Amino acid sequence: MKRSTSQRSSPPSPSSPTGFKKSKLDSRSSPNLPPPSLSQEGWTRVEKRSGKKKDKKAAKQLENNQPRFLYSNSEITKRENPIGIDEIRDLVLHIAIGAGASRSPPHWVRVDNTAQIQRTLVLMIPGVTPEMLSLPPPPTVATKNPNIPISIPLPSKVASGIPWIASTFSHACPTRAPGDSYKMHSVYSTFFSAPVSIQEKQRRDAMKALASSAQKSNDPAQYILTTDLMIDNDYPIPTYLRKQNQPLETGWIQTPEVAKPSLITSSTSQTPSRKVYALDCEMCMTEDGKALTRVCVIDFFTSSIILDQLVMPPKPITDYLTRWSGITPQALLGVTTTLADVQKQILKLLSPPPKNPFSTNAAAVTNAGWQTPVLIGHSLENDLGALKLRHPYVIDTSLLYHHPRGRPLKPGLAWLMKKWCGKEIQNRGEGGHDPTEDALACIDLVRKKLDSPEGFGEFKADQELIFEKMSRLSRPVKTAVIDHGNPSAMHGAKATTCVACTTDEEVVEGVIESVKNGHQFIFGRLKAVAECRGWISPRDKDSPIDKPTELPPPPSSEDLASSLSTLNANLQKIHASLPLRTALVIFTGHSDPRPYSLLTQRKYRFEDALRKGILGTEGNEETWTQQDARDLEAEVEKARQGLLFLGVKA
């Protein structure tokens, strides 16, 4: 992927496609041609000259067959906005899948010899900004178009914080994150979700029509998650549902496996109705992490409380998380119930009743026809984890209802209740959540779904994860997501391989391993620079923190230089592991989101105080002016700016 410095600043040749400019110039070194053959008299044979021409022609043809990217400046100039994240996604799909990935190939960039590209690596690197590459600031005069790709100075000419990028790519293309005037939307959601194809839409419409024509059942069990969905969403499934029947972990319990009814006896015995319970738990932070402090179980059919129990964690509590859990030190005074005690009560509800050998009823003797109860909850995998309970049948309202922007995002419980049931919950402020209220809310949502037409609570976004598109090909693309956090529960769902990482070094190793294992599409995110600059708060996801009201000081020049040096070394290491003809797509996604985030918080505080009628009282002196609104728009626009680098290792 070495770029040619002799051609990078030259204008496109007249023979090249009109308006196209190369984004990266691959190695141009021609193969060593043999010297002309000499005759016995020492003269060069004329016929050998034609062979030399053939060698030159073959070398030229080999060069022309190399895959490469070429920006179309003429098309980009016509645009009002920079390249969007959705357009980067469509470009990646065009490379990985071909012309059938979208309605038409991208117009703003041309990909020569796409079929020669063996694999695609996409890296998202937030925190990288133009000044790190000595790029000029966006033009402010109307005579210059801010959307045109920017020429990157060579490291030998100017100081560069990331010399590998400067020596590998000749241009950086400005990009724009999704959003509106007052908010930046999720870069991840836009990149990983794409419109479904016409064929897939027709298939989905046919399935919906078939479902709507069938008689609607009032049994909530129809919404039970499949085992695959439970695995995709990190549910602790019973060991007997695992592909490899592993032993149960210490301290965990699981609902007993119930034998299927006999075909001989099931027709003569009446099957009892299945029990359905709503479950909600509250947790506090202890020395060993989150621990259960309250559990609530409510009967779905009667709305009666079956269990509402406070629990004393085994380790000292470091944070009661009262704002969310509603638990206070006073609430736990005198509580001696342990997790093991609660597990026994829960397991009794979920297990078959004791057999009665003295009963004249055959079903009572054998428990024939008894069905394992169903548990309802919102993101119930967290509650089951707190209980250390593995259960096979669950209904999850965060999956039963859709987020407005589609998967993999999940809607919040309070939002769902206000949107679909017209009720407000979780409005106790600092008093925290009430598990009884949350469990009843889940029951209301399931009942509302049962009483409503097919498709209620779903948004007709007609979106799907890009990995679903890749998996439907006649020769499915082998995909991998290497990212911080838990990608398998979000954007990495449906990918062939998902690797959860905690450091950039782990991401680098995961990318290299995926390349060795033959993955054809790989996504990775390196976020150490963004963390160094304070764009991403390095925090424990289980330990909520207050949002700051002002920007922290920037990192020292030494810390930032060290972070950039590490990033440069990581990129070199990844690049060295890539085979030839690998398409490399690097984008930053966005710029610093903190200034607009602080203004947004001010706006929310002002609107909240105004709505509650407490504006101007002590502690509620927040103001919001037209100038503040204009400042917010300007900061949002700055935050949406990003950079894109395109190249092929050839």
Side-chain angles (χ1 to χ4, degrees), residues 204-218:
R204 291 185 179 187
D205 290 342
M207 291 181 63
K208 289 178 182 177
L210 183 63
S212 61
S213 64
Q215 185 175 1
K216 188 173 176 63
S217 169
N218 61 354

mmCIF file with all atom_site columns, all heavy atoms in Angstrom, residues 204-218:
data_model
loop_
_atom_site.group_PDB
_atom_site.id
_atom_site.type_symbol
_atom_site.label_atom_id
_atom_site.label_alt_id
_atom_site.label_comp_id
_atom_site.label_asym_id
_atom_site.label_entity_id
_atom_site.label_seq_id
_atom_site.pdbx_PDB_ins_code
_atom_site.Cartn_x
_atom_site.Cartn_y
_atom_site.Cartn_z
_atom_site.occupancy
_atom_site.B_iso_or_equiv
_atom_site.pdbx_formal_charge
_atom_site.auth_seq_id
_atom_site.auth_comp_id
_atom_site.auth_asym_id
_atom_site.auth_atom_id
_atom_site.pdbx_PDB_model_num
ATOM 1   N N   . ARG A 1 204 ? -40.468 -10.926 3.923  1.00 0.00 ? 204 ARG A N   1
ATOM 2   C CA  . ARG A 1 204 ? -40.975 -10.504 5.227  1.00 0.00 ? 204 ARG A CA  1
ATOM 3   C C   . ARG A 1 204 ? -42.463 -10.141 5.134  1.00 0.00 ? 204 ARG A C   1
ATOM 4   O O   . ARG A 1 204 ? -43.241 -10.462 6.031  1.00 0.00 ? 204 ARG A O   1
ATOM 5   C CB  . ARG A 1 204 ? -40.173 -9.304  5.735  1.00 0.00 ? 204 ARG A CB  1
ATOM 6   C CG  . ARG A 1 204 ? -38.738 -9.644  6.100  1.00 0.00 ? 204 ARG A CG  1
ATOM 7   C CD  . ARG A 1 204 ? -38.036 -8.443  6.719  1.00 0.00 ? 204 ARG A CD  1
ATOM 8   N NE  . ARG A 1 204 ? -36.662 -8.756  7.103  1.00 0.00 ? 204 ARG A NE  1
ATOM 9   C CZ  . ARG A 1 204 ? -35.877 -7.930  7.777  1.00 0.00 ? 204 ARG A CZ  1
ATOM 10  N NH1 . ARG A 1 204 ? -36.332 -6.731  8.148  1.00 0.00 ? 204 ARG A NH1 1
ATOM 11  N NH2 . ARG A 1 204 ? -34.652 -8.273  8.092  1.00 0.00 ? 204 ARG A NH2 1
ATOM 12  N N   . ASP A 1 205 ? -42.831 -9.447  4.063  1.00 0.00 ? 205 ASP A N   1
ATOM 13  C CA  . ASP A 1 205 ? -44.234 -9.076  3.896  1.00 0.00 ? 205 ASP A CA  1
ATOM 14  C C   . ASP A 1 205 ? -45.118 -10.320 3.789  1.00 0.00 ? 205 ASP A C   1
ATOM 15  O O   . ASP A 1 205 ? -46.233 -10.351 4.320  1.00 0.00 ? 205 ASP A O   1
ATOM 16  C CB  . ASP A 1 205 ? -44.406 -8.196  2.657  1.00 0.00 ? 205 ASP A CB  1
ATOM 17  C CG  . ASP A 1 205 ? -43.796 -6.810  2.850  1.00 0.00 ? 205 ASP A CG  1
ATOM 18  O OD1 . ASP A 1 205 ? -43.557 -6.438  4.004  1.00 0.00 ? 205 ASP A OD1 1
ATOM 19  O OD2 . ASP A 1 205 ? -43.564 -6.124  1.836  1.00 0.00 ? 205 ASP A OD2 1
ATOM 20  N N   . ALA A 1 206 ? -44.606 -11.352 3.083  1.00 0.00 ? 206 ALA A N   1
ATOM 21  C CA  . ALA A 1 206 ? -45.370 -12.585 2.944  1.00 0.00 ? 206 ALA A CA  1
ATOM 22  C C   . ALA A 1 206 ? -45.545 -13.279 4.289  1.00 0.00 ? 206 ALA A C   1
ATOM 23  O O   . ALA A 1 206 ? -46.629 -13.797 4.607  1.00 0.00 ? 206 ALA A O   1
ATOM 24  C CB  . ALA A 1 206 ? -44.672 -13.517 1.952  1.00 0.00 ? 206 ALA A CB  1
ATOM 25  N N   . MET A 1 207 ? -44.498 -13.265 5.108  1.00 0.00 ? 207 MET A N   1
ATOM 26  C CA  . MET A 1 207 ? -44.585 -13.885 6.431  1.00 0.00 ? 207 MET A CA  1
ATOM 27  C C   . MET A 1 207 ? -45.560 -13.127 7.324  1.00 0.00 ? 207 MET A C   1
ATOM 28  O O   . MET A 1 207 ? -46.336 -13.724 8.075  1.00 0.00 ? 207 MET A O   1
ATOM 29  C CB  . MET A 1 207 ? -43.203 -13.934 7.074  1.00 0.00 ? 207 MET A CB  1
ATOM 30  C CG  . MET A 1 207 ? -42.239 -14.897 6.413  1.00 0.00 ? 207 MET A CG  1
ATOM 31  S SD  . MET A 1 207 ? -40.624 -14.948 7.228  1.00 0.00 ? 207 MET A SD  1
ATOM 32  C CE  . MET A 1 207 ? -41.085 -15.574 8.840  1.00 0.00 ? 207 MET A CE  1
ATOM 33  N N   . LYS A 1 208 ? -45.551 -11.784 7.234  1.00 0.00 ? 208 LYS A N   1
ATOM 34  C CA  . LYS A 1 208 ? -46.472 -10.988 8.035  1.00 0.00 ? 208 LYS A CA  1
ATOM 35  C C   . LYS A 1 208 ? -47.910 -11.224 7.610  1.00 0.00 ? 208 LYS A C   1
ATOM 36  O O   . LYS A 1 208 ? -48.818 -11.304 8.432  1.00 0.00 ? 208 LYS A O   1
ATOM 37  C CB  . LYS A 1 208 ? -46.110 -9.503  7.912  1.00 0.00 ? 208 LYS A CB  1
ATOM 38  C CG  . LYS A 1 208 ? -44.824 -9.124  8.618  1.00 0.00 ? 208 LYS A CG  1
ATOM 39  C CD  . LYS A 1 208 ? -44.492 -7.658  8.408  1.00 0.00 ? 208 LYS A CD  1
ATOM 40  C CE  . LYS A 1 208 ? -43.175 -7.289  9.085  1.00 0.00 ? 208 LYS A CE  1
ATOM 41  N NZ  . LYS A 1 208 ? -42.795 -5.871  8.832  1.00 0.00 ? 208 LYS A NZ  1
ATOM 42  N N   . ALA A 1 209 ? -48.110 -11.332 6.284  1.00 0.00 ? 209 ALA A N   1
ATOM 43  C CA  . ALA A 1 209 ? -49.456 -11.583 5.785  1.00 0.00 ? 209 ALA A CA  1
ATOM 44  C C   . ALA A 1 209 ? -49.964 -12.938 6.255  1.00 0.00 ? 209 ALA A C   1
ATOM 45  O O   . ALA A 1 209 ? -51.137 -13.098 6.614  1.00 0.00 ? 209 ALA A O   1
ATOM 46  C CB  . ALA A 1 209 ? -49.465 -11.501 4.257  1.00 0.00 ? 209 ALA A CB  1
ATOM 47  N N   . LEU A 1 210 ? -49.065 -13.930 6.261  1.00 0.00 ? 210 LEU A N   1
ATOM 48  C CA  . LEU A 1 210 ? -49.438 -15.260 6.726  1.00 0.00 ? 210 LEU A CA  1
ATOM 49  C C   . LEU A 1 210 ? -49.771 -15.241 8.215  1.00 0.00 ? 210 LEU A C   1
ATOM 50  O O   . LEU A 1 210 ? -50.740 -15.861 8.666  1.00 0.00 ? 210 LEU A O   1
ATOM 51  C CB  . LEU A 1 210 ? -48.302 -16.242 6.450  1.00 0.00 ? 210 LEU A CB  1
ATOM 52  C CG  . LEU A 1 210 ? -48.553 -17.712 6.803  1.00 0.00 ? 210 LEU A CG  1
ATOM 53  C CD1 . LEU A 1 210 ? -49.695 -18.265 5.957  1.00 0.00 ? 210 LEU A CD1 1
ATOM 54  C CD2 . LEU A 1 210 ? -47.295 -18.534 6.588  1.00 0.00 ? 210 LEU A CD2 1
ATOM 55  N N   . ALA A 1 211 ? -48.974 -14.484 8.978  1.00 0.00 ? 211 ALA A N   1
ATOM 56  C CA  . ALA A 1 211 ? -49.213 -14.410 10.421 1.00 0.00 ? 211 ALA A CA  1
ATOM 57  C C   . ALA A 1 211 ? -50.512 -13.684 10.731 1.00 0.00 ? 211 ALA A C   1
ATOM 58  O O   . ALA A 1 211 ? -51.257 -14.065 11.637 1.00 0.00 ? 211 ALA A O   1
ATOM 59  C CB  . ALA A 1 211 ? -48.047 -13.711 11.108 1.00 0.00 ? 211 ALA A CB  1
ATOM 60  N N   . SER A 1 212 ? -50.807 -12.624 9.979  1.00 0.00 ? 212 SER A N   1
ATOM 61  C CA  . SER A 1 212 ? -52.027 -11.857 10.245 1.00 0.00 ? 212 SER A CA  1
ATOM 62  C C   . SER A 1 212 ? -53.276 -12.618 9.839  1.00 0.00 ? 212 SER A C   1
ATOM 63  O O   . SER A 1 212 ? -54.361 -12.413 10.401 1.00 0.00 ? 212 SER A O   1
ATOM 64  C CB  . SER A 1 212 ? -51.972 -10.522 9.500  1.00 0.00 ? 212 SER A CB  1
ATOM 65  O OG  . SER A 1 212 ? -51.883 -10.732 8.104  1.00 0.00 ? 212 SER A OG  1
ATOM 66  N N   . SER A 1 213 ? -53.138 -13.526 8.850  1.00 0.00 ? 213 SER A N   1
ATOM 67  C CA  . SER A 1 213 ? -54.303 -14.307 8.421  1.00 0.00 ? 213 SER A CA  1
ATOM 68  C C   . SER A 1 213 ? -54.647 -15.400 9.423  1.00 0.00 ? 213 SER A C   1
ATOM 69  O O   . SER A 1 213 ? -55.785 -15.851 9.490  1.00 0.00 ? 213 SER A O   1
ATOM 70  C CB  . SER A 1 213 ? -54.030 -14.928 7.044  1.00 0.00 ? 213 SER A CB  1
ATOM 71  O OG  . SER A 1 213 ? -52.947 -15.848 7.120  1.00 0.00 ? 213 SER A OG  1
ATOM 72  N N   . ALA A 1 214 ? -53.658 -15.821 10.197 1.00 0.00 ? 214 ALA A N   1
ATOM 73  C CA  . ALA A 1 214 ? -53.918 -16.852 11.206 1.00 0.00 ? 214 ALA A CA  1
ATOM 74  C C   . ALA A 1 214 ? -54.650 -16.236 12.392 1.00 0.00 ? 214 ALA A C   1
ATOM 75  O O   . ALA A 1 214 ? -54.525 -15.057 12.679 1.00 0.00 ? 214 ALA A O   1
ATOM 76  C CB  . ALA A 1 214 ? -52.598 -17.479 11.665 1.00 0.00 ? 214 ALA A CB  1
ATOM 77  N N   . GLN A 1 215 ? -55.408 -17.054 13.084 1.00 0.00 ? 215 GLN A N   1
ATOM 78  C CA  . GLN A 1 215 ? -56.168 -16.569 14.236 1.00 0.00 ? 215 GLN A CA  1
ATOM 79  C C   . GLN A 1 215 ? -55.204 -16.219 15.366 1.00 0.00 ? 215 GLN A C   1
ATOM 80  O O   . GLN A 1 215 ? -54.351 -17.007 15.740 1.00 0.00 ? 215 GLN A O   1
ATOM 81  C CB  . GLN A 1 215 ? -57.158 -17.633 14.705 1.00 0.00 ? 215 GLN A CB  1
ATOM 82  C CG  . GLN A 1 215 ? -58.073 -17.161 15.829 1.00 0.00 ? 215 GLN A CG  1
ATOM 83  C CD  . GLN A 1 215 ? -59.111 -18.201 16.191 1.00 0.00 ? 215 GLN A CD  1
ATOM 84  O OE1 . GLN A 1 215 ? -59.141 -19.272 15.611 1.00 0.00 ? 215 GLN A OE1 1
ATOM 85  N NE2 . GLN A 1 215 ? -59.968 -17.871 17.139 1.00 0.00 ? 215 GLN A NE2 1
ATOM 86  N N   . LYS A 1 216 ? -55.339 -14.990 15.871 1.00 0.00 ? 216 LYS A N   1
ATOM 87  C CA  . LYS A 1 216 ? -54.428 -14.515 16.910 1.00 0.00 ? 216 LYS A CA  1
ATOM 88  C C   . LYS A 1 216 ? -54.715 -15.209 18.232 1.00 0.00 ? 216 LYS A C   1
ATOM 89  O O   . LYS A 1 216 ? -55.855 -15.284 18.674 1.00 0.00 ? 216 LYS A O   1
ATOM 90  C CB  . LYS A 1 216 ? -54.557 -12.999 17.060 1.00 0.00 ? 216 LYS A CB  1
ATOM 91  C CG  . LYS A 1 216 ? -53.511 -12.388 17.977 1.00 0.00 ? 216 LYS A CG  1
ATOM 92  C CD  . LYS A 1 216 ? -53.595 -10.883 17.938 1.00 0.00 ? 216 LYS A CD  1
ATOM 93  C CE  . LYS A 1 216 ? -52.616 -10.240 18.914 1.00 0.00 ? 216 LYS A CE  1
ATOM 94  N NZ  . LYS A 1 216 ? -51.225 -10.545 18.579 1.00 0.00 ? 216 LYS A NZ  1
ATOM 95  N N   . SER A 1 217 ? -53.672 -15.717 18.856 1.00 0.00 ? 217 SER A N   1
ATOM 96  C CA  . SER A 1 217 ? -53.802 -16.409 20.135 1.00 0.00 ? 217 SER A CA  1
ATOM 97  C C   . SER A 1 217 ? -53.659 -15.411 21.272 1.00 0.00 ? 217 SER A C   1
ATOM 98  O O   . SER A 1 217 ? -52.992 -14.382 21.143 1.00 0.00 ? 217 SER A O   1
ATOM 99  C CB  . SER A 1 217 ? -52.726 -17.497 20.242 1.00 0.00 ? 217 SER A CB  1
ATOM 100 O OG  . SER A 1 217 ? -52.665 -18.010 21.544 1.00 0.00 ? 217 SER A OG  1
ATOM 101 N N   . ASN A 1 218 ? -54.276 -15.706 22.394 1.00 0.00 ? 218 ASN A N   1
ATOM 102 C CA  . ASN A 1 218 ? -54.126 -14.855 23.577 1.00 0.00 ? 218 ASN A CA  1
ATOM 103 C C   . ASN A 1 218 ? -53.180 -15.474 24.597 1.00 0.00 ? 218 ASN A C   1
ATOM 104 O O   . ASN A 1 218 ? -53.181 -15.100 25.766 1.00 0.00 ? 218 ASN A O   1
ATOM 105 C CB  . ASN A 1 218 ? -55.492 -14.595 24.222 1.00 0.00 ? 218 ASN A CB  1
ATOM 106 C CG  . ASN A 1 218 ? -56.164 -15.881 24.698 1.00 0.00 ? 218 ASN A CG  1
ATOM 107 O OD1 . ASN A 1 218 ? -55.664 -16.979 24.443 1.00 0.00 ? 218 ASN A OD1 1
ATOM 108 N ND2 . ASN A 1 218 ? -57.292 -15.742 25.374 1.00 0.00 ? 218 ASN A ND2 1
#
